[in-house]
Amino acid sequence: MLAIEASNVVKSFGDFTALKSISLNIRKGEFVAITGKSGSGKSTLFYSLSGLDVIDSGHVLVLGNNIHNLPQEDLHDFRNTKMGFVFQFHYLVSELTGLENILLPAKKKNLHKEKREYALYLLDYFAIAHCKDKLPSQMSGGERQRVAVARSLIMNPEIIFADEPTGNLDSINSEIVMNIFREINLKNKTTVILITHDDEYAHLADKEIRLKDGEIESDISHKK
Ligand SMILES: Nc1ncnc2c1ncn2[C@@H]1O[C@H](COP(=O)(O)OP(=O)(O)OP(=O)(O)O)[C@@H](O)[C@H]1O
Ligand SMILES: [Mg+2]
């Protein structure tokens, strides 16, 4: 089964068409980099493929589910359990601690007690155990980003969507975050869809989909 199958996805904002009939397939367990210049439509594609925003036409199957046809409640539930998100501008909840932020997706399913141990493991594993009781404002940018990555993993999702997760990080922290993604892809066979402007990271992916002006400019496999 494919992780994602998109056909002729069109998305506009007013009379500006940000995605012009995008079709793509992403296999389960694949590590895919989405690249392209600023404004080429990467984040819009991220929102369209994950059902975080509506599309004008076309369809998107995620793990065989036509997500743009699911009732809102089912879509929320599907996203919460099958997909993990790391946003371009990390959306940690400022009033919640590191641990509470990581447990947020579990809390929605009333699974925060069961997931607490895994959250503590992730804090430890990502070397941010000292951020357990800190608020985001008391963490460094790299720590916040690792909390966001830990949160995206807490439900053991099948697909991780990450929009420039290393965008605001120095090279050491970028390397840490990228290694985490590669490891979960290799170990857990999690499908990773990574938006990046960094050519070096894009080359580490199995496949690179490059956007230009809302269209796929190239779709290159890096696997030998
Ligand atoms: N809510 C919106 N309303 C109007 N136009 C939008 C909206 N969101 C995005 N756009 C436009 O759609 C185009 C694609 O935006 P998008 O955010 O997908 O780009 P991007 O490739 O993610 O860029 P970046 O690398 O800067 O994050 C841009 O021209 C942008 O101005
Ligand atoms: Mg973007």
Side-chain angles (χ1 to χ4, degrees):
M1 198 207 288
L2 289 167
I4 296 194
E5 187 179 352
S7 316
N8 308 308
V9 172
V10 176
K11 171 72 187 174
S12 19
F13 300 104
D15 54 11
F16 174 75
T17 308
L19 299 178
K20 305 168 184 163
S21 197
I22 299 269
S23 297
L24 57 86
N25 286 338
I26 295 172
R27 288 197 307 275
K28 269 188 166 184
E30 213 165 19
F31 194 126
V32 178
I34 308 225
T35 59
K37 283 195 190 129
S38 177
S40 58
K42 304 181 296 297
S43 293
T44 307
L45 184 63
F46 170 101
Y47 280 77
S48 300
L49 294 182
S50 56
L52 282 167
D53 200 358
V54 295
I55 57 177
D56 301 3
S57 58
H59 72 258
V60 179
L61 299 182
V62 179
L63 303 167
N65 295 269
N66 191 337
I67 53 158
H68 290 286
N69 279 356
L70 286 179
Q72 270 303 313
E73 204 170 313
D74 295 354
L75 177 60
H76 276 291
D77 196 54
F78 183 71
R79 258 203 314 260
N80 194 45
T81 51
K82 302 287 186 191
M83 307 183 200
F85 293 94
V86 183
F87 293 97
Q88 184 165 17
F89 305 101
H90 43 77
Y91 286 110
L92 295 183
V93 179
S94 54
E95 306 82 50
L96 299 182
T97 66
L99 178 64
E100 289 166 341
N101 264 288
I102 295 172
L103 282 170
L104 209 53
K107 193 150 195 216
K108 288 188 189 152
K109 301 281 298 175
N110 228 343
L111 287 170
H112 48 293
K113 287 210 179 77
E114 288 84 340
K115 290 286 186 180
R116 190 185 152 88
E117 205 166 317
Y118 184 43
L120 293 172
Y121 165 81
L122 290 171
L123 276 165
D124 201 41
Y125 188 70
F126 295 169
I128 44 172
H130 57 286
C131 296
K132 173 175 163 279
D133 299 316
K134 280 190 183 186
L135 296 174
S137 60
Q138 299 164 324
M139 300 173 198
S140 75
E143 289 167 346
R144 281 199 286 265
Q145 204 58 291
R146 275 175 277 163
V147 170
V149 176
R151 183 181 58 185
S152 78
L153 299 178
I154 193 73
M155 299 299 283
N156 288 118
E158 292 198 37
I159 307 174
I160 298 273
F161 284 91
D163 192 352
E164 295 270 8
T166 61
N168 304 310
L169 301 181
D170 61 22
S171 58
I172 292 170
N173 277 300
S174 298
E175 197 73 29
I176 293 171
V177 168
M178 282 306 297
N179 283 336
I180 292 167
F181 285 124
R182 284 165 67 192
E183 210 168 291
I184 53 167
N185 173 252
L186 289 174
K187 272 197 194 157
N188 307 354
K189 307 278 177 254
T190 308
T191 308
V192 177
I193 301 166
L194 171 82
I195 297 177
T196 180
H197 64 258
D198 189 314
D199 284 342
E200 197 184 322
Y201 293 141
H203 277 92
L204 296 174
D206 299 327
K207 178 158 107 171
E208 176 178 351
I209 297 173
R210 193 169 180 81
L211 295 183
K212 188 182 177 192
D213 301 330
E215 293 180 290
I216 294 180
E217 184 183 38
S218 59
D219 185 338
I220 301 163
S221 176
H222 290 143
K223 266 204 168 144
K224 285 113 218 161

